[in-house]
Amino acid sequence: MTADLDTVPGSSAGPPRRRSRRDEILTIAVALFATRGYHGVSMDDIGSAAGVTGPALYHHFAGKEAMLSAALIPVSEGLRDGGRARVESAEGDEAALEALVDFHVEFALEHPAVISVHLNELDRLPDEPRRMIRRLQREYVEEWVDVLTRLRPELAPDEARVCAHAAFGLMNSTPFLRSPLPRGRVSALLRDMALAALRG
C-alpha cells in the first residue's frame, strides 16, 4: 500500500520523472507511518526497510518530521495545482465537476498510504509546515466550491464547502477498502457516488 510520491495525477504535463533514492526512502517511510503510526516507526526502522545505514538516511532527511513534511506538502501542492488545471481546461461547469471527481478518485486510488498518513499524523508536524498544508488544502477546496456554487446557485459557499468535504470523505475511503473488485470497478463506483452526492 505504498504511494508514489513523485507525481500527483494530473499535476504535471510531462511524464513522471525517474525516482531518486530519496523518493524511494520517502515512499517506504510513508508506508511504515501508514501501517504502524508515526510514533511506532523509528529512523532505524525506516533505514532498515530501505536498506540504508543511519548516516546515509540522515543525508537525505533531518528526521521523521522532515519526512512527513516532504510527503504531505508536495502532495497538497499537486492536488491544488492539478485541480486548478482540470477546472481551467474543462468546457463548462458540469465538465469541471466531473474532471475534479475523476482527478481526486485517481489520486485516492493511487495514494492510500498518503491519505492514511494525512488523516492520522498531520498534527505531528510543527506549526509552519502544518499551516502550509492547511492553506494548500483550503485553496484546493475553493476550486470545488467555485464549481459547485456555479452549478448549484441555491448553495451558499459554506454549504458548498460542506458538500466538497463530504465528497472527499467518500473518495478518501481508499485506505480502508479491502475489496476484491477490479480497480476500474472501484473507481467507477467511487466516481458515481461522489457525483450523485455533489449534484444533490
Side-chain angles (χ1 to χ4, degrees):
M1 201 168 76
T2 60
D4 181 353
L5 301 174
D6 295 342
T7 58
V8 173
S11 64
S12 173
R17 63 181 174 83
R18 186 175 181 276
R19 298 179 69 202
S20 67
R21 185 62 175 140
R22 182 180 185 276
D23 295 326
E24 292 170 354
I25 293 168
L26 187 57
T27 295
I28 290 167
V30 167
L32 289 172
F33 293 156
T35 55
R36 297 192 207 169
Y38 181 80
H39 286 307
V41 178
S42 68
M43 289 293 280
D44 286 342
D45 293 331
I46 296 166
S48 177
V52 177
T53 60
L57 190 61
Y58 282 100
H59 172 74
H60 294 287
F61 298 99
K64 291 197 300 179
E65 285 183 354
M67 289 183 175
L68 197 56
S69 296
L72 297 181
I73 290 175
V75 166
S76 299
E77 290 172 338
L79 281 171
R80 180 201 59 187
D81 296 345
R84 188 171 293 164
R86 293 295 181 98
V87 172
E88 290 174 353
S89 63
E91 296 184 2
D93 294 328
E94 181 62 33
L97 180 63
E98 292 181 1
L100 282 172
V101 169
D102 288 343
F103 172 66
H104 199 98
V105 166
E106 181 65 17
F107 165 79
L109 288 169
E110 285 288 335
H111 301 268
V114 173
I115 291 171
S116 180
V117 169
H118 178 272
L119 289 174
N120 297 312
E121 310 297 350
L122 181 60
D123 289 343
R124 313 295 184 196
L125 286 175
D127 288 345
E128 184 176 347
R130 188 170 67 250
R131 281 196 297 266
M132 178 184 295
I133 290 167
R134 294 295 191 197
R135 175 181 57 78
L136 291 165
Q137 291 173 333
R138 287 193 299 271
E139 291 171 357
Y140 179 52
V141 170
E142 290 310 299
E143 294 296 327
W144 291 72
V145 169
D146 289 346
V147 171
L148 284 170
T149 52
R150 290 195 300 268
L151 273 176
R152 299 181 58 186
E154 77 278 10
L155 290 179
D158 283 344
E159 293 172 324
R161 287 185 195 96
V162 170
C163 293
H165 282 290
F168 295 158
L170 189 158
M171 294 181 286
N172 288 347
S173 64
T174 54
F176 316 107
L177 299 178
R178 297 292 184 271
S179 174
L181 293 173
R183 173 178 164 139
R185 181 56 179 154
V186 174
S187 175
L189 288 169
L190 291 174
R191 180 184 189 274
D192 290 348
M193 287 188 294
L195 284 172
L198 291 165
R199 286 168 173 154

Coordinates of all heavy atoms in Angstrom, one line a residue, residues 92-171:
G92 N -17.1 24.0 -19.5 CA -18.3 24.2 -18.7 C -18.2 23.6 -17.3 O -17.3 22.8 -17.0
D93 N -19.1 24.0 -16.5 CA -19.1 23.7 -15.0 C -19.3 22.2 -14.8 O -18.7 21.6 -13.9 CB -20.0 24.6 -14.2 CG -19.6 26.0 -14.2 OD1 -18.4 26.3 -14.3 OD2 -20.5 26.9 -14.2
E94 N -20.3 21.6 -15.5 CA -20.5 20.2 -15.3 C -19.3 19.4 -15.7 O -18.9 18.4 -14.9 CB -21.7 19.7 -16.2 CG -22.1 18.3 -16.0 CD -22.5 17.9 -14.6 OE1 -23.1 18.7 -13.9 OE2 -22.3 16.8 -14.2
A95 N -18.6 19.7 -16.8 CA -17.4 19.0 -17.2 C -16.3 19.2 -16.1 O -15.5 18.4 -15.8 CB -16.9 19.5 -18.5
A96 N -16.3 20.4 -15.5 CA -15.3 20.7 -14.5 C -15.5 19.9 -13.3 O -14.6 19.3 -12.7 CB -15.3 22.2 -14.1
L97 N -16.8 19.7 -12.9 CA -17.1 18.9 -11.7 C -16.7 17.4 -12.0 O -16.0 16.8 -11.1 CB -18.6 19.0 -11.3 CG -19.0 18.1 -10.1 CD1 -18.3 18.6 -8.9 CD2 -20.5 18.1 -10.0
E98 N -17.0 16.9 -13.1 CA -16.6 15.6 -13.4 C -15.1 15.4 -13.5 O -14.6 14.4 -13.0 CB -17.2 15.2 -14.8 CG -18.7 15.0 -14.7 CD -19.3 14.6 -16.1 OE1 -18.6 14.4 -17.0 OE2 -20.6 14.5 -16.2
A99 N -14.4 16.4 -14.0 CA -12.9 16.3 -14.1 C -12.3 16.4 -12.7 O -11.4 15.6 -12.4 CB -12.4 17.5 -14.9
L100 N -12.9 17.2 -11.8 CA -12.4 17.2 -10.4 C -12.6 15.9 -9.7 O -11.7 15.4 -9.0 CB -13.1 18.3 -9.6 CG -12.6 19.7 -9.8 CD1 -13.6 20.7 -9.1 CD2 -11.2 19.9 -9.4
V101 N -13.8 15.3 -9.9 CA -14.0 14.0 -9.3 C -13.1 12.9 -9.8 O -12.5 12.1 -9.1 CB -15.5 13.6 -9.4 CG1 -15.7 12.1 -9.0 CG2 -16.4 14.5 -8.6
D102 N -13.0 12.9 -11.1 CA -12.1 11.9 -11.8 C -10.6 12.1 -11.2 O -10.0 11.1 -10.9 CB -12.0 12.1 -13.3 CG -13.3 11.6 -13.9 OD1 -14.1 10.8 -13.3 OD2 -13.6 12.0 -15.1
F103 N -10.2 13.3 -11.1 CA -8.9 13.6 -10.6 C -8.7 13.1 -9.2 O -7.7 12.5 -8.9 CB -8.6 15.1 -10.7 CG -7.4 15.6 -10.1 CD1 -6.1 15.3 -10.6 CD2 -7.4 16.5 -9.0 CE1 -5.0 15.7 -10.0 CE2 -6.3 16.9 -8.4 CZ -5.1 16.6 -8.9
H104 N -9.6 13.4 -8.3 CA -9.5 13.0 -6.9 C -9.6 11.5 -6.7 O -8.9 11.0 -5.9 CB -10.5 13.8 -6.1 CG -10.1 13.8 -4.6 ND1 -9.5 14.9 -4.0 CD2 -10.2 12.9 -3.7 CE1 -9.2 14.6 -2.8 NE2 -9.7 13.4 -2.5
V105 N -10.5 10.9 -7.5 CA -10.7 9.4 -7.3 C -9.4 8.8 -7.7 O -8.9 7.8 -7.1 CB -11.8 8.9 -8.2 CG1 -11.8 7.4 -8.3 CG2 -13.2 9.3 -7.5
E106 N -8.8 9.2 -8.8 CA -7.5 8.6 -9.3 C -6.4 8.8 -8.2 O -5.6 7.9 -7.9 CB -7.0 9.3 -10.6 CG -5.7 8.8 -11.1 CD -5.8 7.3 -11.5 OE1 -6.9 6.7 -11.7 OE2 -4.7 6.7 -11.7
F107 N -6.4 10.0 -7.6 CA -5.4 10.3 -6.5 C -5.6 9.4 -5.4 O -4.7 8.8 -4.8 CB -5.5 11.7 -6.1 CG -4.8 12.0 -4.8 CD1 -3.5 12.1 -4.7 CD2 -5.6 12.0 -3.6 CE1 -2.8 12.3 -3.5 CE2 -5.0 12.2 -2.4 CZ -3.6 12.4 -2.3
A108 N -6.9 9.2 -5.0 CA -7.2 8.4 -3.8 C -6.9 6.9 -4.0 O -6.4 6.2 -3.1 CB -8.7 8.5 -3.5
L109 N -7.0 6.4 -5.2 CA -6.7 5.0 -5.5 C -5.2 4.8 -5.6 O -4.7 3.8 -5.3 CB -7.4 4.6 -6.8 CG -8.9 4.4 -6.7 CD1 -9.5 4.2 -8.1 CD2 -9.2 3.2 -5.9
E110 N -4.5 5.9 -6.1 CA -3.0 5.8 -6.2 C -2.3 6.0 -4.9 O -1.1 5.5 -4.7 CB -2.5 6.8 -7.3 CG -2.8 6.4 -8.7 CD -2.0 5.3 -9.2 OE1 -0.9 5.1 -8.6 OE2 -2.4 4.6 -10.1
H111 N -2.9 6.7 -4.0 CA -2.1 7.2 -2.8 C -2.8 6.9 -1.5 O -2.9 7.8 -0.6 CB -1.9 8.7 -2.9 CG -1.1 9.1 -4.1 ND1 0.2 9.3 -4.1 CD2 -1.5 9.4 -5.4 CE1 0.6 9.6 -5.3 NE2 -0.4 9.7 -6.1
P112 N -3.3 5.7 -1.3 CA -4.0 5.4 0.0 C -3.1 5.6 1.2 O -3.6 6.0 2.3 CB -4.5 3.9 -0.2 CG -3.5 3.3 -1.2 CD -3.2 4.5 -2.1
A113 N -1.8 5.3 1.1 CA -0.9 5.4 2.3 C -0.8 6.9 2.7 O -0.8 7.3 3.8 CB 0.4 4.8 2.0
V114 N -0.7 7.8 1.7 CA -0.6 9.2 1.9 C -1.8 9.7 2.6 O -1.8 10.5 3.5 CB -0.3 10.0 0.6 CG1 -0.3 11.5 0.8 CG2 1.1 9.6 0.0
I115 N -3.0 9.3 2.1 CA -4.2 9.7 2.7 C -4.3 9.2 4.2 O -4.7 10.0 5.1 CB -5.4 9.1 2.0 CG1 -5.6 9.8 0.6 CG2 -6.7 9.3 2.8 CD1 -6.6 9.1 -0.3
S116 N -3.9 8.0 4.5 CA -3.9 7.5 5.8 C -3.0 8.3 6.7 O -3.3 8.7 7.8 CB -3.5 6.0 5.8 OG -3.5 5.5 7.1
V117 N -1.8 8.6 6.2 CA -0.8 9.4 7.0 C -1.4 10.8 7.2 O -1.3 11.3 8.4 CB 0.6 9.4 6.3 CG1 1.5 10.5 6.9 CG2 1.2 8.1 6.3
H118 N -1.9 11.4 6.2 CA -2.5 12.7 6.4 C -3.6 12.7 7.4 O -3.7 13.6 8.3 CB -3.0 13.2 5.1 CG -3.7 14.6 5.2 ND1 -5.0 14.8 5.5 CD2 -3.2 15.8 5.1 CE1 -5.3 16.0 5.6 NE2 -4.2 16.7 5.3
L119 N -4.5 11.8 7.4 CA -5.6 11.7 8.3 C -5.2 11.5 9.8 O -5.7 12.1 10.7 CB -6.6 10.6 7.9 CG -7.4 10.7 6.7 CD1 -8.1 9.4 6.4 CD2 -8.4 11.9 6.8
N120 N -4.1 10.8 10.0 CA -3.7 10.4 11.3 C -2.5 11.1 11.9 O -2.4 11.1 13.1 CB -3.4 8.9 11.3 CG -4.7 8.0 11.0 OD1 -5.7 8.3 11.5 ND2 -4.5 7.1 10.1
E121 N -1.7 11.7 11.0 CA -0.4 12.1 11.5 C -0.1 13.6 11.2 O 0.9 14.1 11.6 CB 0.7 11.3 10.9 CG 0.5 9.8 11.0 CD 0.5 9.3 12.4 OE1 0.8 10.0 13.3 OE2 0.2 8.1 12.6
L122 N -1.0 14.3 10.6 CA -0.8 15.7 10.3 C -0.4 16.6 11.5 O 0.5 17.4 11.4 CB -2.0 16.4 9.6 CG -1.8 17.8 9.1 CD1 -0.7 18.0 8.1 CD2 -3.1 18.3 8.5
D123 N -1.0 16.3 12.6 CA -0.8 17.1 13.8 C 0.6 16.8 14.4 O 1.0 17.5 15.4 CB -1.8 16.8 14.9 CG -3.2 17.4 14.5 OD1 -3.2 18.3 13.6 OD2 -4.2 17.0 15.1
R124 N 1.4 15.9 13.9 CA 2.7 15.6 14.4 C 3.7 16.7 13.8 O 4.8 16.8 14.3 CB 3.2 14.3 13.9 CG 2.3 13.1 14.1 CD 2.0 12.8 15.6 NE 1.2 11.7 15.8 CZ 0.6 11.4 16.9 NH1 0.7 12.1 17.9 NH2 -0.2 10.3 17.0
L125 N 3.3 17.4 12.8 CA 4.2 18.4 12.2 C 4.3 19.7 13.0 O 3.3 20.1 13.7 CB 3.6 18.8 10.8 CG 3.8 17.7 9.7 CD1 3.2 18.2 8.4 CD2 5.3 17.4 9.4
P126 N 5.4 20.4 12.9 CA 5.5 21.7 13.5 C 4.5 22.7 12.9 O 3.9 22.4 11.8 CB 6.9 22.1 13.2 CG 7.6 20.9 12.9 CD 6.6 19.9 12.3
D127 N 4.3 23.8 13.6 CA 3.2 24.7 13.1 C 3.4 25.2 11.7 O 2.4 25.2 10.9 CB 3.2 26.0 14.1 CG 2.7 25.7 15.4 OD1 2.1 24.6 15.6 OD2 2.9 26.5 16.4
E128 N 4.6 25.6 11.3 CA 4.8 26.2 10.0 C 4.4 25.2 8.8 O 3.5 25.6 8.0 CB 6.2 26.7 9.8 CG 6.4 27.4 8.4 CD 7.8 28.0 8.3 OE1 8.5 28.1 9.3 OE2 8.1 28.4 7.2
P129 N 4.9 24.0 8.7 CA 4.5 23.1 7.6 C 3.0 22.7 7.8 O 2.4 22.5 6.7 CB 5.4 21.9 7.8 CG 6.0 22.0 9.1 CD 6.0 23.4 9.5
R130 N 2.5 22.6 9.0 CA 1.1 22.2 9.1 C 0.2 23.4 8.6 O -0.8 23.1 7.9 CB 0.8 21.9 10.6 CG -0.6 21.4 10.8 CD -0.8 20.8 12.2 NE -0.8 21.9 13.2 CZ 0.1 22.1 14.1 NH1 1.2 21.2 14.1 NH2 0.0 23.0 15.0
R131 N 0.6 24.6 8.9 CA -0.2 25.7 8.4 C -0.1 25.8 6.8 O -1.1 26.1 6.2 CB 0.3 27.0 9.0 CG -0.2 27.3 10.4 CD 0.0 28.8 10.8 NE 1.4 29.1 10.8 CZ 2.2 29.1 11.9 NH1 1.7 28.7 13.0 NH2 3.5 29.5 11.8
M132 N 1.1 25.5 6.3 CA 1.2 25.5 4.8 C 0.3 24.4 4.2 O -0.4 24.7 3.2 CB 2.7 25.2 4.4 CG 2.9 25.2 2.9 SD 4.6 24.8 2.5 CE 5.4 26.2 3.1
I133 N 0.3 23.3 4.8 CA -0.6 22.2 4.2 C -2.1 22.6 4.3 O -2.8 22.4 3.4 CB -0.3 20.9 5.0 CG1 1.1 20.4 4.6 CG2 -1.4 19.8 4.6 CD1 1.6 19.2 5.4
R134 N -2.5 23.1 5.5 CA -3.8 23.6 5.6 C -4.2 24.6 4.6 O -5.3 24.6 4.0 CB -4.1 24.1 7.0 CG -3.9 23.1 8.2 CD -5.0 22.0 8.1 NE -5.0 21.2 9.3 CZ -5.6 20.1 9.4 NH1 -6.2 19.5 8.3 NH2 -5.6 19.4 10.5
R135 N -3.3 25.6 4.3 CA -3.6 26.6 3.3 C -3.7 26.0 1.9 O -4.7 26.3 1.2 CB -2.4 27.6 3.3 CG -2.6 28.7 2.2 CD -1.5 29.7 2.2 NE -0.2 29.1 2.1 CZ 0.3 28.7 0.9 NH1 -0.4 28.8 -0.2 NH2 1.5 28.1 0.9
L136 N -2.8 25.1 1.6 CA -2.9 24.4 0.3 C -4.3 23.7 0.2 O -4.9 23.7 -0.9 CB -1.7 23.5 0.1 CG -0.4 24.2 -0.1 CD1 0.7 23.1 0.1 CD2 -0.3 24.8 -1.4
Q137 N -4.7 23.0 1.2 CA -5.9 22.3 1.2 C -7.1 23.2 1.0 O -8.0 22.9 0.3 CB -6.1 21.5 2.5 CG -5.1 20.3 2.7 CD -5.2 19.7 4.0 OE1 -5.6 20.4 5.0 NE2 -4.9 18.4 4.1
R138 N -7.1 24.4 1.7 CA -8.2 25.3 1.6 C -8.3 25.8 0.1 O -9.4 26.0 -0.4 CB -8.0 26.5 2.5 CG -8.3 26.2 4.0 CD -8.4 27.4 4.8 NE -7.2 28.2 4.8 CZ -6.2 28.0 5.7 NH1 -6.3 27.1 6.6 NH2 -5.1 28.8 5.6
E139 N -7.1 26.1 -0.5 CA -7.1 26.5 -1.9 C -7.6 25.5 -2.8 O -8.3 25.8 -3.8 CB -5.7 26.9 -2.3 CG -5.2 28.2 -1.5 CD -3.7 28.5 -1.7 OE1 -3.1 27.7 -2.4 OE2 -3.3 29.5 -1.2
Y140 N -7.4 24.2 -2.5 CA -7.9 23.1 -3.3 C -9.4 23.0 -3.2 O -10.2 22.9 -4.1 CB -7.2 21.8 -2.9 CG -7.7 20.6 -3.7 CD1 -7.8 20.5 -5.0 CD2 -8.1 19.4 -2.9 CE1 -8.2 19.4 -5.7 CE2 -8.6 18.3 -3.6 CZ -8.6 18.3 -5.0 OH -9.1 17.1 -5.6
V141 N -9.9 23.1 -1.9 CA -11.3 23.1 -1.7 C -12.0 24.2 -2.4 O -13.1 24.0 -2.9 CB -11.6 23.2 -0.1 CG1 -13.1 23.3 0.1 CG2 -11.1 21.9 0.6
E142 N -11.4 25.4 -2.5 CA -12.1 26.5 -3.1 C -12.3 26.3 -4.6 O -13.2 26.8 -5.2 CB -11.3 27.8 -2.9 CG -11.4 28.3 -1.4 CD -12.8 28.3 -0.9 OE1 -13.6 29.1 -1.5 OE2 -13.1 27.6 0.1
E143 N -11.5 25.5 -5.2 CA -11.7 25.1 -6.6 C -13.0 24.4 -6.7 O -13.8 24.6 -7.7 CB -10.6 24.2 -7.2 CG -9.2 24.9 -7.3 CD -9.2 26.1 -8.3 OE1 -10.0 26.0 -9.3 OE2 -8.5 27.1 -8.0
W144 N -13.3 23.5 -5.8 CA -14.5 22.7 -5.8 C -15.7 23.6 -5.4 O -16.8 23.5 -6.0 CB -14.5 21.6 -4.8 CG -13.5 20.5 -5.1 CD1 -12.2 20.5 -5.1 CD2 -13.9 19.2 -5.5 NE1 -11.7 19.3 -5.5 CE2 -12.7 18.5 -5.8 CE3 -15.1 18.5 -5.7 CZ2 -12.7 17.1 -6.2 CZ3 -15.1 17.2 -6.1 CH2 -13.9 16.5 -6.3
V145 N -15.5 24.5 -4.5 CA -16.6 25.4 -4.1 C -17.0 26.3 -5.2 O -18.2 26.5 -5.5 CB -16.2 26.3 -2.9 CG1 -17.1 27.4 -2.6 CG2 -16.0 25.4 -1.6
D146 N -16.1 26.9 -6.0 CA -16.4 27.7 -7.1 C -17.2 27.0 -8.1 O -18.2 27.5 -8.6 CB -15.1 28.3 -7.7 CG -14.4 29.3 -6.9 OD1 -15.0 29.8 -5.9 OD2 -13.2 29.6 -7.2
V147 N -16.9 25.8 -8.4 CA -17.6 25.0 -9.4 C -19.0 24.7 -8.9 O -20.0 24.8 -9.6 CB -16.8 23.7 -9.8 CG1 -17.7 22.8 -10.6 CG2 -15.6 24.1 -10.6
L148 N -19.1 24.2 -7.6 CA -20.4 23.8 -7.1 C -21.3 25.0 -7.0 O -22.5 24.8 -7.2 CB -20.2 23.2 -5.7 CG -19.6 21.8 -5.7 CD1 -19.2 21.4 -4.3 CD2 -20.6 20.8 -6.2
T149 N -20.9 26.1 -6.6 CA -21.8 27.3 -6.4 C -22.3 27.8 -7.8 O -23.4 28.4 -7.9 CB -21.1 28.4 -5.6 OG1 -19.9 28.8 -6.2 CG2 -21.0 28.0 -4.2
R150 N -21.5 27.6 -8.8 CA -22.0 27.9 -10.2 C -23.0 26.9 -10.7 O -24.0 27.3 -11.3 CB -20.8 28.0 -11.2 CG -19.9 29.2 -10.9 CD -19.0 29.5 -12.1 NE -18.1 28.4 -12.4 CZ -16.9 28.3 -12.0 NH1 -16.4 29.2 -11.1 NH2 -16.1 27.2 -12.3
L151 N -22.7 25.6 -10.4 CA -23.7 24.6 -10.8 C -24.9 24.6 -10.0 O -26.0 24.3 -10.5 CB -23.0 23.2 -10.7 CG -22.1 22.7 -11.8 CD1 -21.5 21.4 -11.4 CD2 -23.0 22.5 -13.1
R152 N -24.8 24.9 -8.7 CA -26.0 24.9 -7.8 C -26.1 26.2 -7.1 O -25.6 26.4 -6.0 CB -25.8 23.7 -6.8 CG -25.7 22.3 -7.4 CD -25.5 21.3 -6.4 NE -26.6 21.3 -5.4 CZ -26.7 20.5 -4.3 NH1 -25.7 19.7 -4.1 NH2 -27.7 20.6 -3.5
P153 N -26.7 27.2 -7.8 CA -26.8 28.5 -7.2 C -27.5 28.6 -5.9 O -27.4 29.6 -5.1 CB -27.6 29.3 -8.3 CG -27.5 28.5 -9.5 CD -27.3 27.1 -9.1
E154 N -28.3 27.5 -5.5 CA -29.0 27.5 -4.2 C -28.0 27.3 -3.1 O -28.4 27.5 -1.9 CB -30.1 26.5 -4.2 CG -29.6 25.0 -4.0 CD -29.1 24.4 -5.3 OE1 -28.9 25.1 -6.3 OE2 -28.9 23.1 -5.3
L155 N -26.8 26.9 -3.4 CA -25.9 26.6 -2.3 C -25.1 27.9 -2.0 O -24.5 28.6 -2.8 CB -24.9 25.6 -2.7 CG -25.3 24.1 -2.9 CD1 -24.2 23.2 -3.3 CD2 -25.9 23.6 -1.5
A156 N -25.0 28.2 -0.7 CA -24.1 29.3 -0.2 C -22.7 28.7 -0.2 O -22.5 27.4 -0.1 CB -24.5 29.7 1.2
P157 N -21.6 29.5 -0.3 CA -20.3 29.0 -0.3 C -20.0 28.0 0.9 O -19.3 27.0 0.7 CB -19.4 30.2 -0.2 CG -20.2 31.2 -0.9 CD -21.7 31.0 -0.5
D158 N -20.5 28.4 2.1 CA -20.2 27.5 3.3 C -20.9 26.1 3.1 O -20.4 25.1 3.5 CB -20.7 28.1 4.5 CG -19.8 29.2 5.1 OD1 -18.6 29.2 4.6 OD2 -20.2 30.0 5.9
E159 N -22.1 26.1 2.4 CA -22.8 24.9 2.1 C -22.0 24.1 1.1 O -21.9 22.8 1.2 CB -24.2 25.2 1.7 CG -25.1 25.8 2.7 CD -26.4 26.2 2.2 OE1 -26.5 26.7 1.1 OE2 -27.4 26.1 2.9
A160 N -21.5 24.7 0.1 CA -20.7 24.0 -0.9 C -19.4 23.4 -0.3 O -19.0 22.3 -0.7 CB -20.3 25.0 -2.0
R161 N -18.9 24.1 0.7 CA -17.7 23.5 1.4 C -18.0 22.2 2.1 O -17.3 21.3 2.1 CB -17.1 24.5 2.3 CG -16.3 25.7 1.6 CD -15.6 26.6 2.5 NE -15.2 27.8 1.7 CZ -16.0 28.9 1.7 NH1 -17.1 29.0 2.4 NH2 -15.6 29.9 0.9
V162 N -19.2 22.2 2.7 CA -19.6 21.0 3.4 C -19.8 19.9 2.4 O -19.3 18.8 2.6 CB -21.0 21.3 4.2 CG1 -21.6 19.9 4.6 CG2 -20.8 22.2 5.3
C163 N -20.4 20.2 1.3 CA -20.6 19.2 0.2 C -19.2 18.7 -0.3 O -19.0 17.5 -0.5 CB -21.4 19.8 -1.0 SG -23.1 20.2 -0.6
A164 N -18.3 19.6 -0.5 CA -17.0 19.2 -1.0 C -16.3 18.3 0.0 O -15.7 17.2 -0.4 CB -16.1 20.4 -1.3
H165 N -16.3 18.7 1.3 CA -15.6 17.9 2.3 C -16.3 16.5 2.5 O -15.6 15.5 2.7 CB -15.5 18.6 3.6 CG -14.5 19.7 3.7 ND1 -13.1 19.4 3.7 CD2 -14.6 21.0 3.7 CE1 -12.4 20.5 3.8 NE2 -13.3 21.5 3.7
A166 N -17.6 16.5 2.3 CA -18.3 15.2 2.4 C -17.9 14.3 1.3 O -17.7 13.1 1.4 CB -19.8 15.4 2.4
A167 N -17.7 14.8 0.1 CA -17.3 14.0 -1.1 C -15.9 13.6 -0.9 O -15.5 12.4 -1.3 CB -17.5 14.9 -2.4
F168 N -15.0 14.4 -0.3 CA -13.6 14.0 -0.1 C -13.6 12.8 0.9 O -12.9 11.8 0.7 CB -12.8 15.1 0.6 CG -12.6 16.3 -0.3 CD1 -12.3 17.5 0.3 CD2 -12.7 16.2 -1.7 CE1 -12.0 18.6 -0.5 CE2 -12.4 17.3 -2.5 CZ -12.1 18.5 -1.9
G169 N -14.5 12.8 1.9 CA -14.6 11.7 2.8 C -14.9 10.4 2.1 O -14.4 9.3 2.4
L170 N -15.8 10.5 1.2 CA -16.2 9.3 0.4 C -15.1 8.8 -0.4 O -14.7 7.6 -0.4 CB -17.4 9.7 -0.5 CG -18.2 8.6 -1.2 CD1 -19.6 9.0 -1.6 CD2 -17.5 8.2 -2.5
M171 N -14.5 9.7 -1.2 CA -13.4 9.3 -2.1 C -12.1 8.9 -1.4 O -11.4 8.0 -1.8 CB -13.1 10.5 -3.1 CG -14.2 10.7 -4.0 SD -13.9 12.1 -5.2 CE -14.0 13.5 -4.2

